[in-house]
Amino acid sequence: MPDEQNTGGRVVLAGAPLGNVGDASARLRDVLTSADVIAAEDTRRLARLARDLGVTVRGRVVSYFEGNDERRTPELVEALASGAVVAVVTDGGMPSVSDPGYRLVRAALDAGYPVTAAPGPSAVTTALALSGLPSDRFVFEGFLPRSGSNRRTRLRELAAEPRTLVFFEAPHRIAGTMTDLAAIFGADRPAAVCRELTKTYEEIRRGGAAELAEWAGTGEVRGEITLVVAGAPAGPAVRPDDGELREEVARREAAGASRRDAIQAVADDYGLRKREVYTIVHTPV
């Protein structure tokens, strides 16, 4: 194990602005000018950030993104062994939070090198604070699966989670995600779609899941999106009568759920067996 006092090699996770360059910290400026190596998610964005901040990057700049981080990490650990300060900078927010960085952090710690941070903005906590939803306990789920069936499976697993949920989502998938969420979590589950945080066209849309699904489906939603969803109510709700159960299943189907998923979601909401709800739905009135 290297002697940390002698080698000087260390990793610095540098938080970059989400969009507004005015959010850059003095420490970020110092890291960009003093680091021996900067592992950047996008080297062009790093160059633009440095220009906007009026600083000169003197260290060696290497690309470090999801497609090459496995191959490049050993090279960066070698730089640590030579005493280099290696900074990690992503396109925005804190490295290693659904962004490159974790692999290098783990490798550096395993090799005995210290890891520190120049903290900065985070889309997760910024969206959570702006959502108007409970923020005392929350869980970050990153990106949902890309395929519709896998996404719905994950949402069914999370439907009963009592803590506030935070997701990242791509703009071209937000309409499908909100439709699935309304069908599985319930049309009225409170949520907030936070778009282009800190940027010129920042937008926060708050409402029930079905309302937000309708908004997302009416036009092209652009920009980086963080989705915040209220946790499930504590305990099963009071059981409605059979007619109300049929109506609830029908509402979820109208919101885009398959009948199977709608029946399962209603059963979960009210602490019922799926077979019981199935029988009610398929019994002639």
Side-chain angles (χ1 to χ4, degrees):
M1 180 178 294
D3 181 344
E4 295 174 3
Q5 297 299 321
N6 294 331
T7 66
R10 69 183 187 279
V11 174
V12 182
L13 303 176
L18 300 175
N20 190 326
V21 72
D23 295 333
S25 69
R27 285 194 65 198
L28 174 61
R29 290 176 167 85
D30 290 343
V31 168
L32 293 180
T33 58
S34 64
D36 301 299
V37 180
I38 298 180
E41 183 177 13
D42 186 324
T43 58
R44 293 167 299 181
R45 286 203 181 193
L46 172 64
R48 185 166 68 242
L49 175 62
R51 286 196 303 270
D52 290 343
L53 295 178
V55 300
T56 300
V57 175
R58 296 184 174 85
R60 178 167 60 95
V61 176
V62 299
S63 63
Y64 191 69
F65 55 92
E66 185 178 348
N68 75 352
D69 58 346
E70 184 174 5
R71 171 175 56 83
R72 182 138 280 168
T73 293
E75 172 190 328
L76 296 175
V77 173
E78 287 182 11
L80 294 173
S82 69
V85 173
V86 177
V88 182
V89 182
T90 66
D91 293 346
M94 282 299 297
S96 85
V97 181
S98 279
D99 269 329
Y102 169 76
R103 193 183 296 275
L104 178 58
V105 168
R106 188 66 263 164
L109 294 175
D110 289 344
Y113 295 101
V115 178
T116 187
S122 167
V124 176
T125 53
T126 300
L128 180 66
L130 292 175
S131 69
L133 298 172
S135 56
D136 53 336
R137 299 176 67 231
F138 72 95
V139 56
F140 174 57
E141 282 290 318
F143 285 94
L144 287 164
R146 295 182 180 183
S147 76
S149 61
N150 290 339
R151 180 175 63 222
R152 289 186 285 274
T153 297
R154 178 71 59 81
L155 287 173
R156 283 193 291 270
E157 293 170 352
L158 295 170
E161 169 58 58
R163 295 169 292 182
T164 299
L165 294 148
V166 183
F167 304 92
F168 288 158
E169 190 52 283
H172 62 280
R173 291 198 297 267
I174 188 63
T177 292
M178 292 310 307
T179 297
D180 288 343
L181 198 146
I184 295 169
F185 281 34
D188 297 327
R189 180 75 72 93
V193 178
C194 305
R195 188 181 70 83
E196 294 290 85
L197 289 170
T198 79
K199 300 178 184 177
T200 301
Y201 298 105
E202 176 181 282
E203 180 180 22
I204 314 295
R205 287 272 180 169
R206 304 175 182 87
E211 176 187 348
L212 292 174
E214 182 178 359
W215 163 76
T218 57
E220 184 179 359
V221 180
R222 298 181 179 180
E224 296 180 343
I225 292 172
T226 306
L227 171 63
V228 186
V229 183
V238 176
R239 185 196 188 284
D241 62 33
D242 290 358
E244 290 172 326
L245 287 174
R246 291 190 194 96
E247 291 175 1
E248 181 63 24
V249 171
R251 280 195 295 270
R252 290 173 185 265
E253 286 188 88
S258 66
R259 174 160 292 189
R260 173 180 174 275
D261 286 344
I263 289 173
Q264 181 66 68
V266 170
D268 291 342
D269 280 353
Y270 297 105
L272 304 173
R273 290 176 300 166
K274 181 180 178 181
R275 171 57 61 180
E276 179 181 356
V277 179
Y278 178 92
T279 300
I280 290 169
V281 169
H282 290 87
T283 298
V285 179

